[in-house]
Every structure is written in C-alpha cells, then in structure tokens.
Amino acid sequence: MSLGFQASPAGLLEYLQTSVVQLLTDPTQLSPGQGVLVGASALLVGAVLWSCCGGQRRNKVKLRAEFTPGKVYLHAPPPVKAIPCLTPFGMKLETYLRMADIPFEHMYGRSMGPKGKIPWIEYNGEAMGDSGLILEFLNREKGVDLNQSLSAADKAVSRAFTKMVEENTYWGLVEDRWIENFDKLQDLFELPWFVMFLIRSAKGKIKKTLWAHGIGRHTKDDLRGIIEKDLRAISNFLGTKPYLMGEEPTEVDAAVFGQLSEIVWATSGSYLHRIVTVDCPNLLAYCNRIKDRYWSDWDQLTNKTKKDQ
C-alpha cells in the first residue's frame, strides 16, 4: 500500500497536514494511506502526552483496611542477610523512627508508594512518600525535633551533608551496585535466578538515569574520585566526634547512616567498602555506633540469630 508522499521529512509533514485537514473536513475521502498516517500520529502524540502528563500522576496504592490511629506503617523491602533494608532511604527512615521513638510497624514488600518510590508510609489512612518529606511531617505531627540542640549554622551544615549524600554520594552506590556488580545482585537480593533474569532490563534503565543525572557521563576513575571526596569529607568533618554534629545524634545522622550502612554491610569488595572500612575507619566506627545503639534487633532481622518464637 502506497502512502502517497515523498520519502523526506518535508514530504511527510506536508502529507500529514493534508491528511489532518481531510480528516476534519471530509473524513470519508481519506485514503487508506492517510488513515494509517493519521492513526499512527495520534498514537505517538498520545504516548508523548501520557509520558509528560499522565506519567507524573501520583501512583495509586493499596492501603490497609484497618489501622491504628497515630501509628506509622513502614513500607520497605524485606530484610536480607546483609542488611535489614536494601535501600539507603529505607535505612534512613527506619533509623529516624528508632531515634525519635515513634511507634511503627513493618509492611515488608516491594510495592511502590504514591510517588512511585520506596520506602513510603501509611499514617491514619493516608499514603506518604519521600523520606525527607516524611521526616518533616512526622516532626510536626509527633512534636519531634532531633535538631533542637543545633544552631542555625549547624542546621545549615546538616542539610548540606544530607543533600550531598542523597543527591550525589547515593548515585555512586547505585552505579557500583547495579552496573559494576550487577552479577552479585542475585546473592545480595536473595532472589531466584529467573527473577534476576526478568529485572536485567533495569540495568539499562539505571544507566540512562545515571547519564541523565550527569554522574554517569564521567569515566569510572572520575566518578570514583568524586564519591571518594564525598566520603572523605564526611570522615574529616566527623573526626573523633561520636556523631556528625556532636555528642548526640541528630537527623543528619539518620541520613548519612542510611547511605553508609549500605556501603559497610552490602558492598563487600568494592572501592566504596575499602574507603569506609579501611581508609576512613572512623566512618566504620560511626556506623557500628549507630547500629549498636538503635538496631538491637539487627541480627534477628537479618536471620543471624533465631527470632523469638
């Protein structure tokens, strides 16, 4: 079937314009070729509009039918042998809940929250996403302020470190886990081989995400150098203090521990692991300090000891 236009972009555009005019004035006179072209164009435009608009809608999530008022239901991936949660933002959020002594219940799974990400929470029948915004909400709702002892300048430093580890350092962890060591994910995630086969396409998508972010455009050596500078900056600022901002933990410790805990316990053999555990031993001691203080059930969660019956 001939479509009836010259094989060039200009010819295609002119033919499409003519076809649209024909559709609007006398659709009965559309040729088969014009019908095909108009239909294909409509599908393409629809796909673009859905991607730009519909794709930005909040995800619909399934909520509990019954809930305890005032209780946080934490949706996060289930524990594995290496670590209680394989997302640094899950580790951050749960560490914060433990620091703030806020009652919560695990809702283990891999369902995405209202913003298409995990972790997320249910609270009083509502779904909330984004760990940072969840912390802000719970601070207001529960009257919690882990930063009450900090000056305005200290709070500014805390925010800077939080954003550094979550908007920059994090992507070094993503690259190391999903690109450099993808072949180790089956053991780390503790998933059957056929499941890993199904999610192999995620590697390509993550490469595109890293490229779009910008960090994926660097050479391997340059990328590693950037992340190493982040980690050494944390180490130098921490120094001999027990926590980043002093003698007691604050919100920034939940965020930094969330990222560093993944490196310490879930990246064995990587350059990240070497930096944190060998080159910067104060970071390893820092992680163990928070783990020992707030994660007394760590071994139970990771099945290193038997759970209470």
Side-chain angles (χ1 to χ4, degrees), residues 62-68 71 73 75 105-107 122 125:
K62 185 177 181 180
L63 300 176
R64 295 171 57 94
E66 298 180 359
F67 60 85
T68 300
K71 186 175 186 178
Y73 296 91
H75 290 258
E105 181 178 329
H106 290 115
M107 300 291 291
E122 290 180 64

Side-chain angles (χ1 to χ4, degrees), residues 20-143:
V20 171
V21 171
Q22 187 69 54
L23 175 67
L24 295 175
T25 56
D26 188 4
T28 62
Q29 297 302 311
L30 276 177
S31 69
Q34 288 176 312
V36 169
L37 184 59
V38 171
S41 300
L43 289 174
L44 177 60
V45 171
V48 171
L49 290 175
W50 182 90
S51 177
C52 294
C53 301
Q56 299 301 318
R57 295 175 182 170
R58 290 169 61 89
N59 284 12
K60 290 184 178 180
V61 297
K62 185 177 181 180
L63 300 176
R64 295 171 57 94
E66 298 180 359
F67 60 85
T68 300
K71 186 175 186 178
V72 173
Y73 296 91
L74 174 60
H75 290 258
V80 293
K81 291 180 181 178
I83 195 167
C85 184
L86 268 174
T87 164
F89 298 98
M91 290 297 297
K92 165 194 173 180
L93 184 50
E94 185 165 346
T95 299
Y96 161 81
L97 291 169
R98 291 165 181 256
M99 285 180 173
D101 199 25
I102 295 175
F104 71 95
E105 181 178 329
H106 290 115
M107 300 291 291
Y108 291 131
R110 292 183 173 83
S111 63
M112 297 297 153
K115 297 191 176 183
K117 294 185 176 182
I118 193 169
W120 57 285
I121 68 166
E122 290 180 64
Y123 185 81
N124 288 349
E126 303 252 345
M128 301 178 196
D130 187 276
S131 62
L133 296 179
I134 291 171
L135 262 63
E136 291 180 11
F137 166 78
L138 291 176
N139 285 343
R140 296 190 301 269
E141 179 72 13
K142 301 294 186 181

Side-chain angles (χ1 to χ4, degrees), residues 1 3 26 41 55 77 84 160 193 238 249 253 258:
M1 178 177 63
L3 293 180
D26 188 4
S41 300
W193 68 268
L238 176 64
D253 292 298

Side-chain angles (χ1 to χ4, degrees), residues 3-296:
L3 293 180
F5 61 86
Q6 294 181 349
S8 67
L12 173 60
L13 179 60
E14 181 180 356
Y15 188 72
L16 178 57
Q17 289 173 335
T18 301
S19 301
V20 171
V21 171
Q22 187 69 54
L23 175 67
L24 295 175
T25 56
D26 188 4
T28 62
Q29 297 302 311
L30 276 177
S31 69
Q34 288 176 312
V36 169
L37 184 59
V38 171
S41 300
L43 289 174
L44 177 60
V45 171
V48 171
L49 290 175
W50 182 90
S51 177
C52 294
C53 301
Q56 299 301 318
R57 295 175 182 170
R58 290 169 61 89
N59 284 12
K60 290 184 178 180
V61 297
K62 185 177 181 180
L63 300 176
R64 295 171 57 94
E66 298 180 359
F67 60 85
T68 300
K71 186 175 186 178
V72 173
Y73 296 91
L74 174 60
H75 290 258
V80 293
K81 291 180 181 178
I83 195 167
C85 184
L86 268 174
T87 164
F89 298 98
M91 290 297 297
K92 165 194 173 180
L93 184 50
E94 185 165 346
T95 299
Y96 161 81
L97 291 169
R98 291 165 181 256
M99 285 180 173
D101 199 25
I102 295 175
F104 71 95
E105 181 178 329
H106 290 115
M107 300 291 291
Y108 291 131
R110 292 183 173 83
S111 63
M112 297 297 153
K115 297 191 176 183
K117 294 185 176 182
I118 193 169
W120 57 285
I121 68 166
E122 290 180 64
Y123 185 81
N124 288 349
E126 303 252 345
M128 301 178 196
D130 187 276
S131 62
L133 296 179
I134 291 171
L135 262 63
E136 291 180 11
F137 166 78
L138 291 176
N139 285 343
R140 296 190 301 269
E141 179 72 13
K142 301 294 186 181
V144 172
D145 187 2
L146 298 179
N147 295 336
Q148 61 182 341
S149 64
L150 301 183
S151 65
D154 287 340
K155 290 177 182 178
V157 170
S158 296
R159 180 171 177 81
F161 269 108
T162 297
K163 292 305 174 182
M164 181 188 77
V165 297
E166 294 186 348
E167 305 296 341
N168 197 69
T169 319
Y170 164 73
W171 293 106
L173 175 64
V174 170
E175 191 275 342
D176 182 79
R177 176 176 290 178
W178 283 92
I179 308 301
E180 287 298 312
N181 293 290
F182 185 85
D183 58 334
K184 297 180 180 179
L185 287 186
Q186 182 179 346
D187 289 338
L188 181 62
F189 287 6
E190 299 174 17
L191 295 173
W193 68 268
F194 60 86
V195 175
M196 291 305 302
F197 179 80
L198 293 174
I199 67 173
R200 182 166 291 275
S201 62
K203 182 176 180 180
K205 293 178 181 177
I206 288 172
K207 276 189 176 181
K208 291 180 181 178
T209 301
L210 290 167
W211 182 268
H213 174 276
I215 201 166
R217 299 170 189 242
H218 299 301
T219 65
K220 183 187 295 186
D221 287 343
D222 285 344
L223 187 152
R224 291 183 174 188
I226 290 169
I227 304 306
E228 180 170 358
K229 288 182 179 70
D230 286 358
L231 295 172
R232 289 188 180 276
I234 301 169
S235 175
N236 290 336
F237 185 78
L238 176 64
T240 59
K241 301 191 299 291
Y243 301 100
L244 272 178
M245 305 311 298
E247 294 300 314
E248 289 297 321
T250 57
E251 276 187 27
V252 66
D253 292 298
V256 172
F257 177 75
Q259 304 293 327
L260 295 185
S261 61
E262 300 288 334
I263 294 174
V264 171
W265 286 286
T267 66
S268 180
S270 72
Y271 80 99
L272 295 168
H273 191 267
R274 171 186 56 77
I275 294 169
V276 173
T277 64
V278 178
D279 298 346
C280 301
N282 66 332
L283 294 184
L284 175 60
Y286 168 80
C287 287
N288 280 319
R289 187 175 302 118
I290 293 177
K291 172 178 174 283
D292 292 344
R293 180 167 178 173
Y294 294 106
W295 291 82
S296 60

